[in-house]
Amino acid sequence: MRFVIVGYGRVGSRTARILAEEGHEVVIVDNDHDRIDRAADEGFETIHGDGADEAVLTDAGIATADAIGAFTPNLNANFAACMVGNHHGCRTALRIDEDYREDIYEQYADEVDEIIYPERLGAAGAKTAMLGGDFNVVTDLAATLQLTVLKIPDGSAAIGKRMSELNLPESARIYAHGRARESLTIPLPGTELEAGDEVAVVTETSSADAVRAALQ
C-alpha cells in the first residue's frame, strides 16, 4: 500500500518507520528542510512543502495513495491535508492535541476517518488508523508497556465518570472504548463510562494493577 505522511516529527517519523518495516510505500511531506533531510537519509521518498497545499500533495502522489496521515502540530494544516485526501478518495487520519474542547473533537471527527491523539495513541495506533485495522497492535508497543482491554463491571467506581475524570496512574492512557456488543473506538474526553463498557488501556507494566483497581 502507498501512504502519504504529512509531518515528520515524533509521531510521523515513527509511523513511517513502522509502515516501511511492514513493506508499505511511504512518502513524507514536510516544510522543514532538516526533517526532510532526515527522512531522506532514512530512505524515504520526500516532498518539501506545505502539506496543506493540494499541489504539494499532488506531487507526493495523493491521487494514488491509499491513505494520508496528517501529523503536524498544526490542526488547521492537518485538517486541510485530510480534506485533500478525502477529495482523492484516501483514508484520512488526523492528528489533534488532547487539550482541544469536546466540540472541536466532534467537528473534526465528522470529516475524517480517524482522529489521532499523540498523547494517548502514539505511532503504533497512528499506523493502525491509517491501515483501518484492529486497534490492538500489541506487537508495536515498547517492552515496558502493557496493553489491556478491561470490562467495566457493575459497581465500579468508574461508572458515570468522564474519561477526563478517571483517576488513573500518570503513565496510563485509555485509547479505545466501546459499549457492549459495539466495536472499540477512540473516546472523547467527555465520554461517560457505563457498566459493561470495554476500555483498552496502554500503561507501564508497573502500573497495570493500579489501572485495574481504578476501573474494576
Side-chain angles (χ1 to χ4, degrees):
M1 299 175 72
R2 179 178 174 86
F3 299 97
V4 175
I5 290 183
V6 177
Y8 201 67
R10 178 176 57 86
V11 175
S13 61
R14 294 180 63 193
T15 305
R17 293 184 197 115
I18 292 171
L19 288 166
E21 287 170 2
E22 295 183 357
H24 300 292
E25 183 181 353
V26 180
V27 57
I28 305 299
V29 176
D30 203 299
N31 60 5
D32 183 279
H33 282 289
D34 290 340
R35 288 195 291 265
I36 282 293
D37 289 345
R38 178 159 52 89
D41 289 343
E42 294 178 2
F44 291 107
E45 179 185 348
T46 61
I47 298 292
H48 177 260
D50 184 355
D53 187 333
E54 184 167 7
V56 171
L57 293 179
T58 298
D59 289 343
I62 192 70
T64 58
D66 294 283
I68 181 171
F71 301 141
T72 80
N74 186 323
L75 176 56
N76 290 329
N78 291 345
F79 186 68
C82 285
M83 293 305 94
V84 175
N86 277 343
H87 176 72
H88 289 277
C90 289
R91 182 172 181 81
T92 52
L94 169 77
R95 171 184 173 172
I96 187 170
D97 291 328
E98 203 166 28
D99 56 354
Y100 281 95
R101 302 189 312 273
E102 184 173 346
D103 60 324
I104 301 296
Y105 285 88
E106 293 173 348
Q107 173 187 342
Y108 287 98
D110 288 341
E111 302 294 335
V112 299
D113 292 303
E114 297 288 352
I115 285 185
I116 303 304
Y117 311 96
E119 298 87 349
R120 304 184 200 178
L121 201 56
K127 181 269 296 190
T128 307
M130 292 180 74
L131 288 169
D134 190 336
F135 280 107
N136 290 316
V137 197
V138 181
T139 58
D140 289 333
L141 297 177
T144 58
L145 299 181
Q146 178 177 326
L147 181 151
T148 184
V149 179
L150 300 173
K151 186 173 182 178
I152 306 299
D154 291 333
S156 169
I159 293 173
K161 289 186 177 179
R162 297 181 178 183
M163 294 290 174
S164 58
E165 297 172 337
L166 293 172
N167 185 25
L168 297 178
E170 185 176 349
S171 65
R173 296 289 186 274
I174 292 178
Y175 78 97
H177 163 266
R179 302 290 185 205
R181 296 179 297 280
E182 293 182 2
S183 299
L184 294 176
T185 60
I186 298 177
L188 298 174
T191 300
E192 292 187 2
L193 287 172
E194 301 176 0
D197 286 4
E198 288 188 329
V199 291
V201 184
V202 174
T203 183
E204 292 180 351
T205 302
S206 59
S207 300
D209 289 342
V211 169
R212 290 188 179 91
L215 296 175
Q216 296 187 311

